């Protein structure tokens, strides 16, 4: 399959470009790929654009990207959900924003279930997309976002903000961007009850146009990774009808 490469900068130019990102665009619509490539390249970013799921998996597995913009409904081959699931299964934690033409909360939740960090519904404006990218990367600290070297510990659970590492006992736990941010918000104030809107803001910086059910998806994934018995959680506790809080284990 054809692969488009744009926005290549030599070392001197790249050093002079403040906040340049390496972006993987995955969409089977050639016009959209070209528009995004052209727009982000003009801003000094390094853009790789592919039209199929197999190419996306290959490139994302072999190269470093700061963010992936991933269409849900790709052509023949793996769709966006499968691409996302495959990358997460390979322990690739690159932030992923799903692009979907399906204006449905259920479809957005499916993208998050697959391991996506955020979603944007087509048609979208570039300003909205840039805002979502900034929010994801700001929270991920991908541009050195001034996050302190705080280490949070609750029972056997340990979260290192500067290294973006989580361990339970001596065992490392690999979390996606959104899972890490959600756990950080809960560990920052153990015992405090946080509702879904507060947790949405903790992950993305706002709660507008977000499906609160996304929090339930991430909570379930966190329990599967952190809890010895996910059905009987020690750490992440549900307060029915109100929200979630972190227990002391």
């Amino acid at each position: 399959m054809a692969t488009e490469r744009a926005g290549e900068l030599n070392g001197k130019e790249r050093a002079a470009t403040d906040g340049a990102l390496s972006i993987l665009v995955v969409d089977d619509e050639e016009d959209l790929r070209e528009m995004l490539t052209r727009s982000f390249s003009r801003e000094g970013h390094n853009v790789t654009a592919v039209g199929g799921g197999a190419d996306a998996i290959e490139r994302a597995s072999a190269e470093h990207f700061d963010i992936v913009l991933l269409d849900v409904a790709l052509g023949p081959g793996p769709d966006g959900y499968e691409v996302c699931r495959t990358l997460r299964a390979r322990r690739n934690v690159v932030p992923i924003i799903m692009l979907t033409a399906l204006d449905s909360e259920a479809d957005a939740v499916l993208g998050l279930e697959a391991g996506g960090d955020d979603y944007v519904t087509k048609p979208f404006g570039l300003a909205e997309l840039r805002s979502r990218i900034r929010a994801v990367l700001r929270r991920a600290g991908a541009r050195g976002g001034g996050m302190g070297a705080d280490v949070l510990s609750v029972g056997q659970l340990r979260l290192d903000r500067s290294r973006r590492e989580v361990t339970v006992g001596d065992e490392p736990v690999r979390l996606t961007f959104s899972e890490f941010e959600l756990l950080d918000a809960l560990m920052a104030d153990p015992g405090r009850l946080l509702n879904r809107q507060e947790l949405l803001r903790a992950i993305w910086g706002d709660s507008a146009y977000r499906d609160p059910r996304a929090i339930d998806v991430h909570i379930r994934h966190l329990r599967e990774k952190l809890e010895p018995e996910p059905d009987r959680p020690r750490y992440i506790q549900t307060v029915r009808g109100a929200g979630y809080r972190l227990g002391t284990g």
Side-chain angles (χ1 to χ4, degrees):
M1 297 181 180
T3 300
E4 301 152 24
R5 188 79 174 181
E8 295 285 2
L9 305 174
N10 63 40
K12 185 180 296 184
E13 290 171 327
R14 186 173 295 149
T17 303
D18 182 31
L21 300 172
S22 181
I23 303 172
L24 177 61
V25 175
V26 187
D27 201 294
D28 61 351
E29 297 180 39
E30 184 176 358
D31 290 345
L32 181 58
R33 289 200 310 272
E34 291 180 352
M35 185 272 288
L36 292 176
T37 298
R38 188 166 53 248
S39 297
F40 287 123
S41 296
R42 285 200 195 105
E43 298 170 7
H45 302 303
N46 186 30
V47 183
T48 299
V50 299
D55 283 343
I57 292 170
E58 180 180 355
R59 299 303 291 265
S61 298
E63 303 174 36
H64 167 78
F65 293 98
D66 294 303
I67 196 156
V68 177
L69 307 178
L70 176 61
D71 185 31
V72 167
L74 299 172
D79 64 11
Y81 300 131
E82 187 174 347
V83 170
C84 197
R85 282 192 293 267
T86 299
L87 293 180
R88 296 312 189 214
R90 295 181 180 182
R91 299 187 175 182
N92 189 324
V93 296
V94 61
I96 297 174
I97 296 179
M98 310 294 286
L99 310 178
T100 174
L102 306 174
D103 189 11
S104 163
E105 290 184 349
D107 292 309
V109 169
L110 283 175
L112 299 174
E113 286 269 15
D117 295 297
D118 199 358
Y119 61 90
V120 178
T121 302
K122 297 179 180 179
F124 52 79
L126 279 174
E128 177 190 7
L129 183 57
R130 290 192 193 98
S131 176
R132 296 293 183 91
I133 291 173
R134 282 195 301 270
V136 167
L137 293 180
R138 181 177 63 248
R139 297 298 298 173
R143 297 291 96 192
M147 297 184 69
D150 296 343
V151 175
L152 306 178
S153 296
V154 176
Q156 295 292 307
L157 188 58
R158 183 177 183 273
L159 181 147
D160 188 323
R161 285 170 166 166
S162 63
R163 295 176 178 271
R164 294 191 69 80
E165 293 176 349
V166 172
T167 55
V168 177
D170 296 325
E171 293 296 321
V173 181
R174 290 185 176 270
L175 301 181
T176 66
F177 154 75
S178 296
E179 290 164 359
F180 185 96
E181 295 304 314
L182 179 55
L183 182 60
D184 188 329
L186 291 167
M187 290 187 68
D189 193 357
R192 180 190 172 202
L193 177 64
L194 296 172
N195 62 40
R196 288 175 177 81
Q197 297 302 321
E198 290 173 311
L199 291 171
L200 285 171
R201 287 194 293 272
I203 296 175
W204 289 298
D206 66 72
S207 60
Y209 311 112
R210 315 284 180 171
D211 184 353
R213 288 178 298 173
I215 294 300
D216 301 330
V217 172
H218 293 314
I219 289 289
R220 186 171 70 255
H221 289 174
L222 272 176
R223 283 174 172 160
E224 291 170 353
K225 294 179 179 182
L226 301 177
E227 305 279 3
E229 298 179 74
D231 293 335
R232 301 174 62 187
R234 296 162 50 195
Y235 291 113
I236 303 175
Q237 301 174 350
T238 301
V239 179
R240 192 171 300 278
Y244 298 97
R245 66 186 173 199
L246 194 80
T248 58

